[in-house]
């Protein structure tokens, strides 16, 4: 199939100076006073929520899906308050990605994918992804031309091609891209492809293979994969959510209660380990999103049996 990605002052006047001064004053007025309450580092979620994915847009709001029923919760990062904005279909919501049009793309495990309008809570579209079973649509990333989903049980990526102005495809518009090259699928129900992100230069995708702890670079035109050279870094065992900001890669390792941080080459073919981030509040964090110099991670608490009254939360740490 064809690739779905794109290879990627006048002199001041008195009026202008006054305008700049006014804007500066306005910005200062919007800044939090010294005695204002700091943004919380722990954000509570509804009891029994069972979070996994998180997405944050330009505004100070985090969106979190529920593994229990697929509902979506919006949390205010400034106050920690929140509410359910979309009732789920009764199937899980796993990985999430928010676009600039207020649409939340949701990986739904065996149920495929759906797209939710975060303003109205309406489901805009639903898509079966897998052509074979078992399947586990786990995570999602957006490029200019597609939403890409991983499948933890099948050696394939799924794409929802986006038309002009982000138009969603029809129900039969799913593209399936088999993985080749260095990819070696682990059989027997192991978690294979999990978190997904773009390379810093946007030329390819990065996917972590959880069970074996490898990071792969995937050509979306061919499906060919190459193992990313991370030097002497330990295997990314239980690697889950990925986040790339600039040339920095954050890899959540859920059972280790840690984030490993790497400096990537622009094309994503290699990287160097920089540091590990841990926090007392981590309780099997799964995915990560960033806002205002912080990383936000939902605690899935996979080692705690879920019940309707089980508490869940999001932990924030400095990036």
């Amino acid at each position: 199939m064809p690739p779905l990605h794109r290879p990627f002052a006048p002199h001041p006047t008195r009026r202008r100076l006054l305008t700049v001064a006014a804007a500066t004053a306005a910005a200062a007025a919007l800044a939090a006073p010294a005695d204002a309450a700091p943004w919380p580092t722990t954000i509570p979620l509804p009891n029994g929520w069972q979070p996994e994915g998180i997405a944050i847009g330009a505004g100070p709001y985090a969106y979190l899906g529920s593994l229990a029923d697929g509902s979506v919760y919006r949390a205010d990062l400034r106050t920690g308050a929140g509410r359910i904005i979309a009732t789920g279909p009764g199937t899980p919501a796993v990985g999430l990605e928010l676009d600039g049009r207020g649409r939340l793309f949701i990986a739904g495990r065996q149920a495929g994918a759906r797209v939710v309008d975060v303003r109205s809570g309406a489901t805009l579209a639903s898509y079966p992804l897998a052509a074979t079973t078992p399947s586990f649509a786990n995570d999602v990333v957006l490029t200019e031309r597609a939403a890409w989903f991983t499948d933890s049980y099948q050696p394939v990526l799924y794409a929802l091609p986006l038309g002009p102005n982000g138009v969603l495809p029809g129900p039969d518009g799913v593209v399936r891209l088999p993985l080749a090259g260095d990819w070696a699928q682990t059989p027997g129900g192991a978690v294979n492809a999990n978190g997904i992100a773009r390379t810093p230069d946007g030329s390819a995708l990065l996917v972590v293979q959880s069970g074996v702890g490898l990071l792969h670079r995937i050509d979306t035109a061919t499906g060919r994969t190459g193992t990313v050279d991370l030097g002497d870094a330990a295997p990314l065992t239980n690697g889950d959510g990925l986040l790339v900001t600039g040339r920095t890669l954050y890899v959540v390792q859920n059972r280790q209660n840690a984030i490993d941080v790497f400096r990537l080459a622009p094309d994503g073919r290699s990287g160097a380990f920089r540091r590990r981030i841990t926090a007392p509040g981590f309780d099997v964090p799964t995915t990560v999103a960033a806002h205002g110099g912080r990383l936000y991670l939902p605690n899935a608490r996979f080692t705690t049996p879920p019940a309707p009254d089980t508490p869940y939360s999001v932990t924030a740490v400095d990036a």
Side-chain angles (χ1 to χ4, degrees), residues 65-286:
S66 170
L67 292 176
D69 68 356
S71 294
V72 177
Y73 183 84
R74 188 180 80 168
D76 189 323
L77 302 179
R78 299 163 298 186
T79 65
R83 63 185 179 89
I84 296 172
I85 62 163
T87 302
T91 54
V94 196
L96 309 175
E97 184 84 341
L98 184 68
D99 73 3
R101 297 177 171 85
R103 302 181 302 186
L104 193 66
F105 291 74
I106 302 175
R109 200 175 280 180
Q110 73 280 359
R114 60 191 173 103
V115 184
V116 169
D117 186 323
V118 297
R119 291 159 294 201
S120 68
T123 297
L124 302 176
S126 296
Y127 301 91
L129 296 179
T132 58
T133 57
S135 68
F136 187 154
N138 198 328
D139 207 354
V140 54
V141 70
L142 287 166
T143 69
E144 292 87 351
R145 298 181 62 187
W148 288 94
F149 295 80
T150 57
D151 190 327
S152 293
Y153 291 164
Q154 299 291 334
V156 63
L157 295 183
Y158 309 108
L160 300 181
L162 303 175
N165 299 315
V167 172
L168 297 172
D172 59 350
V174 177
V175 175
R176 297 174 177 87
L177 181 69
L179 301 181
D182 289 346
W183 189 271
Q185 186 82 358
T186 303
V191 176
N192 285 273
N194 197 332
I196 186 170
R198 302 179 70 182
T199 59
D201 65 4
S203 63
L205 299 177
L206 299 171
V207 171
V208 65
Q209 190 176 7
S210 294
V212 297
L214 293 177
L215 184 68
H216 296 269
R217 180 185 185 275
I218 301 177
D219 184 332
T220 57
T222 64
R224 185 168 184 82
T225 74
T227 303
V228 178
D229 180 4
L230 296 178
D232 296 329
L236 302 174
T237 308
N238 299 317
D240 204 325
L242 303 182
L243 174 66
V244 172
T245 60
R247 289 178 57 186
T248 300
L249 167 68
Y250 299 94
V251 183
V252 182
Q253 292 176 268
N254 53 41
R255 303 280 176 156
Q256 283 88 330
N257 289 311
I259 311 166
D260 279 357
V261 186
F262 297 86
R263 174 74 169 175
L264 290 175
D267 62 5
R269 297 180 188 274
S270 62
F273 177 77
R274 288 293 180 256
R275 66 189 185 280
R276 169 167 280 202
I277 300 172
T278 60
F282 285 170
D283 192 348
V284 194
T286 44

Side-chain angles (χ1 to χ4, degrees), residues 25-46:
L30 290 173
D35 58 352
W39 290 21
T41 56
T42 300
I43 296 175
L45 300 175

Side-chain angles (χ1 to χ4, degrees), residues 283-300:
D283 192 348
V284 194
T286 44
T287 53
V288 57
H291 184 82
R294 280 180 164 183
L295 304 174
Y296 290 85
L297 299 93
N299 291 299

